Amino acid sequence: MSTVGAIVDRAAGEFVGRFGVGPTLASAAPGRVNLIGEHTDYNQGFVLPLAIDRWCVCVAGPAAGGRSRLCAADIDEMVEVSLRGLAERAAAAAGELPAWARYLAGSLVERWGSVGDGAMPELDLVATSTVPVGGGLSSSAAIETAAAVVVEVMAGGRESPPPCAGGSPVCRQVAPWDRLSRALDCQRAEHRWAGVPCGLMDQLASSFGVGAHALLIDCRSNGVTPAPMPRESEAVLLVINSGVRHELAGGEYAKRRAACESAAAALGVGSLREIGSLGAVEWARLDDEQGRCVRHVVGENARTLAAAGALRAGDLGGFGRLMRESHASLAGDYRVSCRELDEIVRLASATTGVFGARMTGGGFGGCAVVLATPEGAEAVARGLPGAYLRATGVSCTVERVRAVDGAAAVAVGG
Ligand code: GLA
């Protein structure tokens, strides 16, 4: 597994290979795994994600020519574009870009709009990522956030304290209020440039991550409360990639969000967050689809708060039960799971030493998250892939993840 420093070195090598000079700045932004609180963020509810040790890294420097060159090293693609021109035409220009570049360019432009002074400068940039694309681990938010940090550094780090001394490659962090504005800019890039009406969880997690902690986020106030993860001798986290690609731009995500909003309107509340308990719901006002949304979201908010309490109390068994209930609700009521994810959750839950398992992220494929004792995790890694392949005909990967700090500017070069 790569460290930030190793990914930056790789990206810088790619930059030199393509552009003939070294980059002058670098940024790293982590992906996230959500422990519980799924499809609640856009309902102003509660989520409990953590930033994970998989990063998108951007290295950049002033453009050699009059236009910017943006390169996605992992897929060996590059676009040459005027960022200034894009900024002038704003998101209307998104259609001129390949899908991957919309996240990058959108975030560069949106963030410059908030922290930049004058016309958007042109830059050469290489992005590379160890967050699997389409895995439900926020590869998009990681790209957006890494790009936004590049812009903050270009803008002169107005909001940033000076680089910290010491050996850490993560050398510059911005103030919390500014991280919120960054997350909002990144979300705007995803809405306007990529066309995905996402909530704010992923962008907040990528910027606010705290090593060894999960983050309880209230998506009404956007308040973030770090909650310590259990010691590694007690419990570890696995993400199991189902091998089925998750695709939020496909429209199902937007449909769920619209159904939640129509259910809130039918109940006369601003958001489903306002509904404190299922007992208070006037079911007669809702059609079947709206009823399913309300059951999931109201139940999931309660489960997320209970899970944060269980984490604080060290009740990992209770935490795991809530994870399984969350999965059942996402699969049954909300209908965002799939046969493969259900199979992973079933197999993992049947393994001794596993506290809990559930799908994580938007759904429709992607990853499951498993909380297990170290021995349980080993048993899952040994036994689950074979059983999953036999049951589904699809291969999965099992990887351990740890909670890390959020996005930052990074030292580049020697
Ligand atoms: C995606 C979105 C998030 C959130 C999750 C589901 O990851 O980007 O905002 O809605 O799905 O919890």
Side-chain angles (χ1 to χ4, degrees):
M1 212 235 359
S2 307
T3 60
V4 171
I7 308 170
V8 171
D9 287 349
R10 215 166 51 229
E14 180 77 28
F15 192 99
V16 172
R18 284 190 182 254
F19 304 131
V21 292
T24 55
L25 58 101
S27 66
R32 64 99 189 92
V33 66
N34 191 18
L35 293 177
I36 193 164
E38 217 66 84
H39 289 275
T40 45
D41 61 350
Y42 53 81
N43 290 297
Q44 301 199 4
F46 297 95
V47 293
L48 191 62
L50 50 104
I52 56 171
D53 50 352
R54 304 290 187 279
W55 293 270
C56 175
V57 160
C58 288
V59 293
R67 285 155 71 82
S68 296
R69 291 176 292 182
L70 308 179
C71 164
D74 308 325
I75 52 171
D76 195 20
E77 284 198 30
M78 191 166 90
V79 290
E80 205 178 307
V81 68
S82 162
L83 284 175
R84 183 171 307 178
L86 287 183
E88 282 160 7
R89 295 197 302 289
E96 299 164 23
L97 298 167
W100 65 265
R102 294 176 195 164
Y103 298 91
L104 200 53
S107 182
L108 292 169
V109 168
E110 295 292 340
R111 192 64 180 144
W112 183 262
S114 291
V115 302
D117 206 3
M120 170 103 220
E122 305 296 340
L123 73 160
D124 289 333
L125 181 150
V126 169
T128 183
S129 182
T130 57
V131 187
V133 173
L137 301 178
S138 288
S139 55
S140 318
I143 295 171
E144 292 151 11
T145 308
V149 173
V150 163
V151 168
E152 288 165 15
V153 178
M154 281 176 9
R158 261 192 324 171
E159 323 298 353
S160 310
C164 58
S168 165
V170 174
C171 64
R172 197 146 45 166
Q173 273 285 9
V174 298
W177 66 264
D178 191 59
R179 282 185 271 160
L180 176 57
S181 99
R182 179 203 291 156
L184 290 165
D185 287 340
C186 292
Q187 184 193 37
R188 192 165 337 105
E190 187 144 349
H191 284 195
R192 291 193 187 161
W193 294 71
V196 179
C198 60
L200 195 57
M201 165 171 70
D202 305 349
Q203 292 78 9
L204 286 174
S206 188
S207 271
F208 281 85
V210 177
H213 287 68
L215 310 169
L216 176 63
I217 304 177
D218 178 339
C219 298
R220 184 160 66 189
S221 64
N222 291 327
V224 180
T225 310
M229 288 295 290
R231 277 196 304 276
E232 293 195 350
S233 56
E234 247 179 296
V236 297
L237 274 181
L238 298 176
V239 293
I240 304 183
N241 195 325
S242 66
V244 181
R245 216 179 142 93
H246 114 138
E247 190 56 83
L248 293 188
E252 284 299 313
Y253 182 90
K255 273 192 214 156
R256 295 299 182 289
R257 184 171 179 156
C260 287
E261 283 163 6
S262 81
L267 294 171
V269 290
S271 76
L272 295 184
R273 157 66 177 275
E274 310 305 321
I275 301 170
S277 78
L278 290 175
V281 176
E282 291 179 66
W283 297 102
R285 294 182 179 217
L286 303 174
D287 65 22
D288 178 63
E289 174 74 9
Q290 292 168 329
R292 287 167 174 274
C293 290
V294 171
R295 265 201 307 278
H296 170 68
V297 172
V298 175
E300 187 77 350
N301 278 335
R303 281 188 290 275
T304 304
L305 289 176
L311 199 58
R312 270 193 299 273
D315 174 13
L316 299 181
F319 193 95
R321 239 183 344 269
L322 291 158
M323 289 174 80
R324 282 195 296 277
E325 285 172 25
S326 166
H327 185 83
S329 174
L330 288 158
D333 274 332
Y334 216 63
R335 291 186 284 193
V336 292
S337 184
C338 60
R339 193 170 72 83
E340 291 83 359
L341 284 170
D342 294 346
E343 185 61 19
I344 290 175
V345 170
R346 194 184 68 74
L347 289 167
S349 302
T351 308
T352 307
V354 168
F355 297 112
R358 57 181 287 279
M359 58 155 273
T360 185
F364 314 105
C367 289
V369 57
V370 176
L371 183 72
T373 61
E375 299 73 29
E378 259 173 47
V380 167
R382 251 194 335 266
L384 190 140
Y388 176 71
L389 181 61
R390 281 192 295 281
T392 62
V394 185
S395 297
C396 66
T397 55
V398 180
E399 291 185 34
R400 181 161 173 192
V401 293
R402 293 180 169 83
V404 297
D405 287 343
V410 178
V412 64

